Amino acid sequence: MILVYAVLGLVAAGFGLSIGQLVAGLIDPAFAPISVVASSLIDLPPAVVKEWMVQTFGTASKSVVVVGVCVAVIVLAAVAGIQARRRLWLGIVITDLVAAMGVVAALARPDDGFGAAVPSIAAGLGSTIALAVLVRVAGRGTAPAGSTGSQASVIAGASTTDGPAVDPGDQGVNRRAVLIGGLGFAGLAAASMAAAQFLGSRTSAVASRATSLLPLPASPAAPLPAGVQAPISGIQPFVTPNASFYRIDTAVIVPQVQAQEWTLEFSGMVRRPYTLTYDDLLQMPMVERDVTIMCVSNPIGGNYIGNARWLGTPLMPLLEQAGIDSAADQVFSTSVDGWTCSTPLAGLAEREPLLVIGMNGEPLPIDHGFPVRMVIPGLYGFISATKWVTQIEAATYADMPAYWTVRGWATDAPVLTGSKIEQPNPGAMKAGPTNIGGVAWAMDGDGVARVEVQVDDGPWQDANLAEVPNPVTWRQWWLPWDATPGVHILRVRATNGLGEVQTPKERDVIPSGATGYHTIEVEAA
Ligand SMILES: Nc1nc2c(c(=O)[nH]1)N[C@H]1C(S)=C(S)[C@@H](COP(=O)(O)O)O[C@H]1N2
Ligand SMILES: [Mo]
């Protein structure tokens, strides 16, 4: 019995959510109730919680939050259903409290108006109505045995083949009506989900991306040197394929921006604010650059690093055109989803920052910022690599703290020289002649000049270096090794082009990147 009402609660909530999804499809898919709640939870946690989430769940952190929200909604919906059996008002109060979470989360969004709350309000109304109707219907015709004549009991009486359809007493539930009502609302929910899907696909950027053609670069990159890939197996490709490029951002729903609707506003502390369209951007001289980008949250030995051939236009001339006020100390960029990023103006020009439209010969993938993102060699992504960028302001740090700044991360975070062992993998391996190999990087230090490997507590040995097209890509390295049977500890360290050796001091990723040597243990047999 209780189970029936729990299921009715779930059906009501599912119906309400589908209505919320439908309304969000009309306004903005990012405003769907589950997404607004998940996004605000993602934006909320203090740096330490976030840090723990990233370390524990990695790039799955966002999905973990979404699943958590779904589980909470499911549990509360079941409780609402159970309560509604005897106290409909209580079931409705629980339902509406859940919907209120969506409303509060939506209203807390800094850049969206009241519209962001409308899907959650619709979801609340939908679930409330569904719950009331289902509970009523379920209870109908369940008057104590002996009473006669209600319409529902007549309907229920029609199905007597598998026993009485109506349980006697106030414990009763009109099974047939429950079934019809439940399936009815479930069917409506499915229909409205399908409609929402359709509406969402209208606003998707897939078609826009598929039809955008990349201009030829005025300054093409030279073909990659033949020796960028170390001549051993087990090291990832020098050019990271788009499909396996790490993705890090705060977006629960990937922003969908049509190229033809995209604009980029240059404003803030500038003398001549102006706005670019995508067509304007295509008129700018395009350059092609091989650049490795990396996340500040990349743990020692981690995978939040990738290398691509980017196509874009230099950002400095566009900033100069706006005329930056000399009092400004940062470039403050904003994504269409409201995420913000602070980039130090000091030393920016020397890095040759780019406004990027192409990645490895394709229009930027939607996940990686279609139609336009920033890429700045030598700075961690959180202070440089704004995806779906729509506004670039000259500003001061004092006036405008960015998304990660207010969460305790550094404002100046050049990529630290680093290195990683990719071959062999930790654990069991075959004894005998083999190779140790991996990647190293020094995008902020004039490239990798040297990589050394230490086996057990032996001397540091120079590894062979693969070729590189420029100092702002990672560099592969390898060292032949005769693995004797037994347990071994392997360590790696890099030296940058300025002669600075990677520090062995272990430090956490927050606030400006992890340090320490990547160390693995293998057992050769
Ligand atoms: N709009 C937006 N851009 C963003 C972020 C974000 O959360 N939102 N994250 C940044 C961070 S922390 C990194 S490391 C890079 C990652 O870029 P990728 O996902 O293309 O690898 O994007 C940057 N750009
Ligand atoms: Mo990042």
Side-chain angles (χ1 to χ4, degrees):
M1 185 63 55
I2 279 197
L3 199 65
V4 170
Y5 280 87
V7 170
L8 291 183
L10 289 176
V11 170
F15 172 74
L17 282 172
S18 76
I19 296 296
Q21 204 78 28
L22 182 62
V23 173
L26 289 166
I27 311 176
D28 182 338
F31 297 165
I34 299 280
S35 334
V36 285
V37 173
S39 309
S40 63
L41 287 176
I42 286 167
D43 290 351
L44 197 68
V48 204
V49 177
K50 190 155 233 145
E51 204 14 62
W52 176 83
M53 290 284 291
V54 172
Q55 298 301 326
T56 315
F57 304 111
T59 39
S61 299
K62 277 190 300 188
S63 320
V64 170
V65 175
V66 173
V67 170
V69 171
C70 291
V71 169
V73 168
I74 288 171
V75 170
L76 290 169
V79 171
I82 293 167
Q83 291 303 329
R85 177 182 158 216
R86 288 185 191 274
R87 287 173 298 232
L88 180 57
W89 64 268
L90 186 53
I92 289 177
V93 166
I94 296 171
T95 302
D96 291 349
L97 283 177
V98 175
M101 295 194 320
V103 174
V104 169
L107 294 178
R109 291 168 77 93
D111 313 288
D112 304 308
F114 180 73
V118 174
S120 297
I121 294 173
L125 279 174
S127 329
T128 304
I129 292 170
L131 187 65
V133 169
L134 286 171
V135 167
R136 284 285 180 77
V137 161
R140 265 220 235 152
T142 57
S147 77
T148 51
S150 90
Q151 194 190 349
S153 65
V154 172
I155 297 170
S159 76
T160 44
T161 43
D162 61 345
V166 179
D167 286 353
D170 66 353
Q171 295 285 307
V173 52
N174 184 332
R175 284 195 213 160
R176 177 149 200 198
V178 162
L179 204 62
I180 293 174
L183 287 178
F185 275 105
L188 287 174
S192 94
M193 284 305 282
Q197 185 89 32
F198 170 74
L199 289 172
S201 69
R202 265 190 342 172
T203 52
S204 134
V206 170
S208 172
R209 176 171 184 269
T211 51
S212 48
L213 293 174
L214 294 178
L216 288 175
S219 160
L224 286 175
V228 291
Q229 196 71 34
I232 68 164
S233 63
I235 304 184
Q236 63 178 307
F238 178 78
V239 178
T240 313
N242 290 354
S244 48
F245 208 96
Y246 82 95
R247 174 186 163 201
I248 301 273
D249 54 62
T250 57
V252 172
I253 300 280
V254 182
Q256 303 290 317
V257 184
Q258 324 275 328
Q260 290 313 316
E261 273 158 30
W262 175 85
T263 56
L264 176 58
E265 180 186 306
F266 286 88
S267 54
M269 297 168 68
V270 298
R271 285 183 293 282
R272 299 174 294 274
Y274 68 99
T275 300
L276 283 181
T277 65
Y278 193 70
D279 288 332
D280 294 336
L281 193 66
L282 294 182
Q283 301 309 310
M284 307 290 165
M286 291 288 157
V287 303
E288 222 178 16
R289 295 287 180 266
D290 295 298
V291 180
T292 296
I293 67 168
M294 180 172 170
C295 184
V296 68
S297 295
N298 195 33
I300 298 299
N303 288 322
Y304 305 156
I305 179 169
N307 179 55
R309 177 161 285 192
W310 310 95
L311 177 75
T313 193
L315 179 60
M316 286 324 284
L318 296 174
L319 288 172
E320 279 152 21
Q321 193 176 323
I324 295 185
D325 189 322
S326 58
D329 56 10
Q330 65 155 329
V331 170
F332 187 90
S333 50
T334 305
S335 155
V336 295
D337 68 354
W339 185 81
T340 58
C341 169
S342 274
T343 307
L345 263 170
L348 183 60
E350 291 73 61
R351 298 189 184 278
E352 300 182 358
L354 294 178
L355 264 186
V356 161
I357 60 171
M359 182 174 182
N360 293 329
E362 289 175 21
L364 269 181
I366 296 172
D367 282 355
H368 295 288
F370 180 83
V372 184
R373 75 176 303 170
M374 295 173 21
V375 167
I376 307 180
L379 295 179
Y380 285 120
F382 80 115
I383 60 160
S384 70
T386 309
K387 304 192 273 189
W388 316 287
V389 63
T390 188
Q391 189 180 20
I392 295 185
E393 291 165 273
T396 63
Y397 282 109
D399 287 346
M400 295 179 72
Y403 185 94
W404 288 113
T405 313
V406 298
R407 289 165 177 79
W409 294 74
T411 48
D412 192 13
V415 175
L416 300 165
T417 298
S419 51
K420 179 188 173 198
I421 300 171
E422 295 192 336
Q423 164 65 32
N425 285 317
M429 61 174 286
K430 254 178 68 190
T434 179
N435 284 286
I436 305 170
V439 292
W441 55 89
M443 282 80 78
D444 182 60
D446 203 23
V448 173
R450 184 180 194 188
V451 172
E452 296 161 283
V453 176
Q454 186 185 46
V455 178
D456 300 324
D457 286 319
W460 285 96
Q461 306 173 57
D462 269 293
N464 302 294
L465 297 179
E467 287 182 60
V468 279
N470 67 50
V472 294
T473 66
W474 56 15
R475 187 164 201 170
Q476 302 197 352
W477 55 268
W478 77 101
L479 180 73
W481 175 46
D482 194 0
T484 55
V487 172
H488 299 288
I489 304 290
L490 310 178
R491 274 189 197 86
V492 63
R493 72 180 184 196
T495 301
N496 68 19
L498 310 172
E500 296 160 349
V501 185
Q502 209 185 314
T503 170
K505 199 168 159 267
E506 284 176 20
R507 187 181 90 177
D508 198 11
V509 294
I510 188 168
S512 54
T515 61
Y517 295 162
H518 188 212
T519 305
I520 67 165
E521 187 179 298
V522 293
E523 181 164 12

